[in-house]
Amino acid sequence: MSKKIIIVGGVAGGASTAARLRRLDENAEIIMFEKGEYISFANCGLPYYIGEVINEREKLIVQTVDEMSSKFKIDIRNLSEVIKIDKENNKVTVKNLKNNEVYEENYDVLVLSLGASPIKPPIPGIQECKNLFTLRNIPDTDKIKAYVDNERPKKAVVIGGGFIGLEMAENLHERGIEITLVEAGKQVMAPLDIEMAHIIHDVLIDNGVNLILNDGVKEFKNNGKKVVLSSGMEIDTDLIILSIGVKPETSIAKEAGIKVNERGGIIVDDHMKTSKDNIYALGDAIQVTDFVNKEPAMIPLAWPANRQGRIVADNICKRESSYKGSLGSSVAKVFDYTVAVTGNNEKTLNKLGINYKAIHIHPSSHAGYYPGSFPIAFKMLFDPKSGKILGAQGVGMDKVEKRIDVIAAAIKGNLNVFDLQDFEPCYAPPYNSAKDPVNMLGFYAANIIDGLVEVIEWDKIDELHKDKSIIVDVREEFELVTGTLENSINIPLGELRDRIDEIPKDKDVYVTCQVGQRGYVASRILKSYGINAVNIDGGMKTYLYVKRAEESIKNQFNNKREEEIKEEVAVMNLNDLDVSEINAKVTLNACGLQCPGPIRRVFEEINKMNEGEVLEVKASDPGFTKDIKSWCEKTGNTLLKSEFDKKNKNFVAIVQKGTKNKETAQVQTKDKNGATLVVFSGDFDKAIASFIIATGAASMGKEVTMFFTFWGLNILKKKEKAKVKKDAMEKMFDIMLPSNAEKLPLSKMNMMGMGPAMIKQIMKKHNVDDLETLITNAINMGVRIVACAMSMELMGIKKEEFIDGVEIGGVASYLGAADDSGINLFV
């Protein structure tokens, strides 16, 4: 005898249960009740339809009622709400929402896929808000999109920094709306730990989002046109998105006497059975077991709901199947960044008193020498005794979720950190490095467990006792400009063995570098000399992520005026252009060039073009998107669009020659538009800096004059020695002075010529133009190169010794140029 199975609720859980049931039992009578119009839709895609990334509404609908009914022979009754369960008599009461008819339906097996609804607290003024929306289903989506399309709001407040809140912030931003994101907690994205969340905080602020943390909503005023925060801050807005979480819709289950937890989640066993044998439950409305810590949890995600639907169907059809628990694996797009997590975070482990160790690494998404490689921040948590993997988090621009997926599979397969060392990934330079980041996490964790290295976390650094400890920074000296730690001394790794005596023997020793790898090597070296050194996990990069984000959050409203924010949004959305549809006159590939290379090439190409023609530029330098906006504003050109092309791994800008505001352009030309540099130094590093500044200024349309005097004259010498007549004193100077720019010393760390050689090698590795090319580029861009005649005479340097394009002039030449300059520098 066939069973009669009633499923309450569709979407992921109910629909997957129904489809699996029919595949297993052709004769079962299956009825699905859904109070909404749609039974199966892509709820995770809803924000992207509002943002018009998904441009067709139909793409959100996975199965229609007619399609699923005919394909699976299911009696589907949408717009029908189950309002009561009689578990003793195996009946449900149903209300037909189309005609308000109420009737009963009996069952042999009942499946509850009740879902969850957005939390909407009784905040004063909320009922009067005509512009406040929540997002959970297609009707919600239609309302928001219609409001944005028809009302064209200029400002929006997104309340809540979870997945939906961030996705809505991004997609509304893409529609040209100024966004303020309000989060009551100290961070967005609760599954992340704070230092990883800080990366996203910086991303949000960099993209023009006003980020307010540690502040909740106190009141809504003026029918939702003003949001008043607990701090007293008031925000004017045209649109409000409320996204502070969901609660299970389980009232009919509770009324029927089915057991629920304190949060209203239905309690089920591993077969998905409720407290009543013939009633199953699944999806967002149930309590699950956390796979890592084995404690009860509420994890409303799509994958668990789909998997649970299959398990419910299996068990109804007498196929033994059990749910092993949820990891909470999830991923989100935040502008150009990907955020992915699996397992437990530090907050959860600390709350449960579980012993763990945390590690951070910063590898590249694939081989660094292959174009399009971006750094990723990874964090892994593990048991320091057994090596059990407890959780992982990743933030970056490319291939983040790929590695988190691997770790999720490892956790579900009961693998440990030692097993990660043997993970064998596919490798080719466009896709990976020879040592995958997952391998690196395994190596790092194994070293800690094996006692090869001891680590200290980023949040303990500021707590170190200054009199009892010392930090040895093993980076090269030129790296220190990125930031240093208090109470630290700099001994580059290559010099460590020779300078061991500089490390105090009566203090606790800690070592650091940029990302932690050299710190590990340094700790091993020091240990061999009898010094127990603790490595700072994640190096300066992890520590500075936090400090810089804290500074950005603190200063964001000081650094960004309201008008500047509006302009940024307008530029990104001007005419809502699609890069693929623009017929550019010239396409410029500046990928691989470092600053100021891309801007210099834009300047050269624009100069060849006619007014109104369009230039498409592709670059791999992350700073290019900010540089090109500033360049266009200063040179009277129009930035039509600037975006990151994730597919092709580059930044794309569309520039139109000329500006629509001719009056502004004319006023600008009347202002002082020159720049002068007095180059007194003959140091290699200062020469590079001088020409980079000059090239940048010329790229901005400024008339640049470089005045070389005394030691700076050596920068202008030819490689080939000129045949000139010199007296005895001039010959002596000639012997002592550098013969050409290639022989210039460094201002610091010259190391008998080794320093310049190292800098040149690094410049070559990172595709930075050499000094000779920088000089040539400057001259080609119209930079005046003037050699001081008086200094030439004093130092015995002749005009014939200079490269082509050098003018000889006196102080008057410099003063004349300086008088027309808005910028005057002395190097």
Side-chain angles (χ1 to χ4, degrees):
M1 184 177 175
S2 62
K3 292 180 179 178
K4 182 177 180 179
I5 304 160
I6 287 181
I7 301 171
V8 183
V11 199
S16 62
T17 303
R20 175 70 170 172
L21 277 170
R22 178 57 72 219
R23 289 193 293 267
L24 295 178
D25 187 348
E26 180 63 20
N27 297 314
E29 181 183 357
I30 305 171
I31 303 174
M32 181 191 293
F33 292 108
E34 167 56 51
K35 68 179 179 181
E37 181 180 354
Y38 304 94
I39 57 161
S40 183
F41 59 90
N43 50 2
C44 294
L46 302 181
Y48 300 99
Y49 173 62
I50 295 168
E52 298 187 335
V53 176
I54 298 171
N55 52 19
E56 295 178 24
R57 184 177 181 274
E58 291 71 24
K59 291 179 179 179
L60 298 173
I61 300 171
V62 180
Q63 291 273 2
T64 65
V65 172
D66 290 341
E67 287 170 347
M68 192 166 186
S69 297
S70 60
K71 185 176 181 181
F72 294 103
K73 198 178 73 171
I74 299 171
D75 180 359
I76 300 176
R77 306 177 193 178
N78 64 339
L79 296 172
S80 298
E81 182 181 5
V82 174
I83 58 176
K84 185 179 179 181
I85 300 169
D86 182 351
K87 66 175 182 171
E88 305 304 328
N89 296 305
N90 295 338
K91 292 189 297 185
V92 294
T93 302
V94 185
K95 181 178 182 180
N96 185 329
L97 300 178
K98 289 175 278 191
N99 57 21
N100 291 324
E101 176 192 355
V102 176
Y103 63 95
E104 290 182 343
E105 194 79 51
N106 68 306
Y107 62 83
D108 295 312
V109 179
L110 179 64
V111 179
L112 302 177
S113 178
L114 302 176
S117 60
I119 296 172
K120 199 171 180 180
I123 301 170
I126 195 170
Q127 296 299 329
E128 289 74 39
C129 292
K130 307 300 182 186
N131 60 342
L132 185 146
F133 302 91
T134 58
L135 179 63
R136 188 68 182 172
N137 52 38
I138 287 184
D140 293 340
T141 306
D142 291 338
K143 290 175 185 175
I144 297 171
K145 191 168 191 304
Y147 188 89
V148 173
D149 291 347
N150 299 326
E151 301 299 325
R152 300 201 174 275
K154 294 181 179 179
K155 296 181 180 181
V157 172
V158 177
I159 303 168
F163 285 89
I164 294 295
L166 289 175
E167 289 166 355
M168 283 304 301
E170 176 182 350
N171 280 281
L172 291 174
H173 178 278
E174 291 299 315
R175 295 294 304 271
I177 302 171
E178 181 188 331
I179 306 298
T180 298
L181 178 63
V182 179
E183 168 56 50
K186 63 180 181 179
Q187 66 170 82
V188 301
M189 301 202 77
L192 289 175
D193 285 316
I194 185 67
E195 75 278 19
M196 304 296 284
H198 269 316
I199 304 173
I200 298 305
H201 294 160
D202 246 353
V203 170
L204 291 169
I205 293 170
D206 282 347
N207 281 278
V209 173
N210 302 315
L211 179 61
I212 300 173
L213 301 174
N214 292 306
D215 208 350
V217 177
K218 179 182 178 182
E219 182 183 3
F220 296 108
K221 289 184 176 180
N222 301 342
N223 297 322
K225 292 295 183 179
K226 189 182 292 290
V227 180
V228 183
L229 303 185
S230 301
S231 63
M233 182 178 183
E234 297 186 353
I235 308 169
D236 293 326
T237 187
D238 306 309
L239 169 65
I240 301 169
I241 302 294
L242 186 63
S243 178
I244 59 175
V246 296
K247 60 181 179 181
E249 288 194 293
T250 56
S251 58
I252 60 170
K254 286 186 282 187
E255 291 167 3
I258 296 170
K259 286 186 178 179
V260 298
N261 64 17
E262 68 280 359
R263 295 175 59 186
I266 300 172
I267 297 173
V268 297
D269 64 13
D270 61 353
H271 288 74
M272 312 310 297
K273 283 186 179 180
T274 69
S275 54
K276 176 70 173 173
D277 273 354
N278 66 335
I279 301 179
Y280 294 80
L282 71 160
D284 295 354
I286 70 167
Q287 171 185 288
V288 296
T289 298
D290 186 301
F291 185 86
V292 173
N293 61 52
K294 307 307 178 187
E295 295 290 327
M298 300 286 290
I299 303 177
L301 293 169
W303 183 89
N306 279 284
R307 177 66 181 126
Q308 290 157 11
R310 188 180 178 93
I311 290 170
V312 167
D314 284 352
N315 286 310
I316 291 172
C317 295
K318 306 303 181 184
R319 298 173 64 88
E320 185 73 17
S321 187
S322 61
Y323 189 66
K324 297 180 173 58
S326 295
L327 272 177
S329 299
S330 53
V331 64
K333 177 183 178 293
V334 184
F335 291 95
D336 297 329
Y337 279 70
T338 298
V339 185
V341 299
T342 190
N344 289 177
N345 56 23
E346 286 198 64
K347 295 185 285 287
T348 299
L349 296 173
N350 285 325
K351 181 180 177 181
L352 297 173
I354 297 174
N355 188 32
Y356 69 91
K357 201 75 179 176
I359 56 175
H360 300 76
I361 63 172
H362 301 276
S364 294
S365 56
H366 60 249
Y369 55 83
Y370 188 88
S373 177
F374 298 98
I376 305 174
F378 281 116
K379 176 178 185 175
M380 186 173 73
L381 303 160
F382 63 96
D383 186 320
K385 292 184 178 179
S386 67
K388 177 184 177 181
I389 306 166
L390 303 173
Q393 303 163 33
V395 181
M397 295 181 75
D398 189 34
K399 297 186 175 76
V400 179
E401 73 291 344
K402 168 182 174 179
R403 278 55 184 242
I404 297 299
D405 285 344
V406 171
I407 296 174
I411 296 174
K412 276 290 180 83
N414 292 313
L415 303 181
N416 58 34
V417 298
F418 298 101
D419 296 314
L420 295 184
Q421 299 175 103
D422 293 321
F423 164 63
E424 187 176 345
C426 301
Y427 165 63
Y431 306 103
N432 208 337
S433 298
K435 286 188 290 188
D436 187 89
V438 173
N439 297 135
M440 294 166 67
L441 286 167
F443 297 146
Y444 189 0
N447 284 341
I448 291 173
I449 295 173
D450 291 341
L452 294 176
V453 63
E454 184 181 350
V455 298
I456 182 176
E457 293 303 310
W458 65 271
D459 57 342
K460 301 295 189 295
I461 296 173
D462 293 339
E463 299 174 8
L464 295 177
H465 196 290
K466 302 295 187 290
D467 297 329
K468 296 180 180 179
S469 63
I470 189 72
I471 298 172
V472 181
D473 191 330
V474 298
R475 295 176 295 166
E476 298 299 323
E477 187 178 349
F478 65 85
E479 296 179 81
L480 302 183
V481 296
T482 62
T484 58
L485 297 172
E486 286 186 38
N487 200 37
S488 65
I489 58 172
N490 175 229
I491 304 178
L493 182 61
E495 303 173 24
L496 188 57
R497 293 179 180 87
D498 297 329
R499 297 172 61 182
I500 289 287
D501 292 340
E502 296 180 29
I503 300 174
K505 304 296 187 292
D506 59 344
K507 293 187 176 184
D508 296 328
V509 178
Y510 300 86
V511 290
T512 192
C513 62
Q514 194 65 17
V515 297
Q517 190 170 8
R518 283 173 290 173
Y520 165 63
V521 175
S523 71
R524 296 299 301 160
I525 292 172
L526 293 174
K527 190 168 185 178
S528 69
Y529 282 86
I531 301 173
N532 185 42
V534 178
N535 189 24
I536 294 176
D537 170 58
M540 292 298 300
K541 201 161 192 175
T542 299
Y543 180 82
L544 290 175
Y545 272 146
V546 177
K547 298 302 178 183
R548 288 171 179 168
E550 289 175 344
E551 196 68 18
S552 295
I553 294 166
K554 179 182 175 182
N555 296 328
Q556 60 181 316
F557 295 107
N558 295 331
N559 296 338
K560 282 189 174 182
R561 295 177 181 175
E562 187 174 350
E563 286 303 315
E564 292 173 336
I565 296 173
K566 288 179 181 177
E567 288 172 7
E568 288 178 6
V569 175
V571 167
M572 293 296 292
N573 295 276
L574 184 62
N575 298 328
D576 197 26
L577 292 172
D578 184 339
V579 171
S580 63
E581 296 177 358
I582 292 177
N583 184 20
K585 172 73 175 179
V586 179
T587 299
L588 170 62
N589 188 347
C591 292
L593 296 179
Q594 299 298 315
C595 178
I599 291 296
R600 175 178 57 80
R601 291 290 291 115
V602 170
F603 170 80
E604 292 170 350
E605 292 300 331
I606 285 288
N607 277 351
K608 301 174 187 175
M609 296 167 63
N610 296 320
E611 189 86 4
E613 291 180 338
V614 175
L615 171 68
E616 179 185 35
V617 193
K618 299 177 181 179
S620 56
D621 177 13
F624 175 70
T625 53
K626 293 182 180 179
D627 290 344
I628 191 65
K629 178 180 180 294
S630 177
W631 184 85
C632 287
E633 289 174 350
K634 294 287 172 45
T635 58
N637 294 294
T638 305
L639 179 61
L640 299 178
K641 192 150 189 170
S642 177
E643 66 179 14
F644 176 67
D645 181 353
K646 191 173 179 65
K647 181 180 178 181
N648 296 305
K649 307 294 187 296
N650 54 40
F651 298 88
V652 180
I654 306 297
V655 180
Q656 186 177 44
K657 183 167 183 176
T659 179
K660 294 180 179 179
N661 193 338
K662 301 296 181 183
E663 292 180 6
T664 302
Q666 290 172 4
V667 170
Q668 287 179 342
T669 59
K670 294 176 183 178
D671 294 337
K672 290 187 175 182
N673 199 36
T676 55
L677 289 86
V678 179
V679 185
F680 174 84
S681 171
D683 295 325
F684 182 68
D685 46 336
K686 293 179 181 178
I688 293 172
S690 299
F691 278 97
I692 287 176
I693 293 169
T695 305
S699 298
M700 303 298 286
K702 294 187 178 296
E703 297 176 5
V704 183
T705 299
M706 301 181 74
F707 190 74
F708 291 80
T709 182
F710 284 97
W711 316 113
L713 293 170
N714 297 308
I715 299 169
L716 305 178
K717 291 180 178 177
K718 295 177 183 175
K719 277 189 179 180
E720 305 80 18
K721 196 166 182 68
K723 294 181 180 179
V724 291
K725 203 176 219 183
K726 296 193 177 188
D727 58 29
M729 185 64 71
E730 290 172 342
K731 288 179 181 177
M732 190 176 296
F733 263 105
D734 195 32
I735 293 170
M736 293 186 294
L737 293 173
S739 59
N740 58 68
E742 289 292 309
K743 303 297 182 182
L744 298 175
L746 284 182
S747 59
K748 293 182 179 180
M749 294 174 57
N750 190 54
M751 297 183 291
M752 300 180 67
M754 289 177 59
M758 291 167 61
I759 291 293
K760 290 171 188 175
Q761 187 176 2
I762 292 169
M763 290 170 66
K764 185 177 180 181
K765 178 181 177 181
H766 293 282
N767 295 316
V768 177
D769 290 335
D770 57 29
L771 180 55
E772 184 179 7
T773 304
L774 287 171
I775 295 171
T776 302
N777 289 339
I779 293 173
N780 290 340
M781 293 175 73
V783 174
R784 288 183 66 208
I785 308 295
V786 181
C788 175
M790 182 195 71
S791 298
M792 289 172 59
E793 188 173 344
L794 291 175
M795 301 182 73
I797 298 175
K798 311 298 182 183
K799 181 179 180 180
E800 292 80 6
E801 297 179 73
F802 290 145
I803 57 175
D804 294 337
V806 176
E807 303 176 31
I808 310 299
V811 177
S813 298
Y814 158 68
L815 292 176
D819 189 52
D820 294 327
S821 297
I823 300 173
N824 192 11
L825 302 176
F826 189 94
V827 183

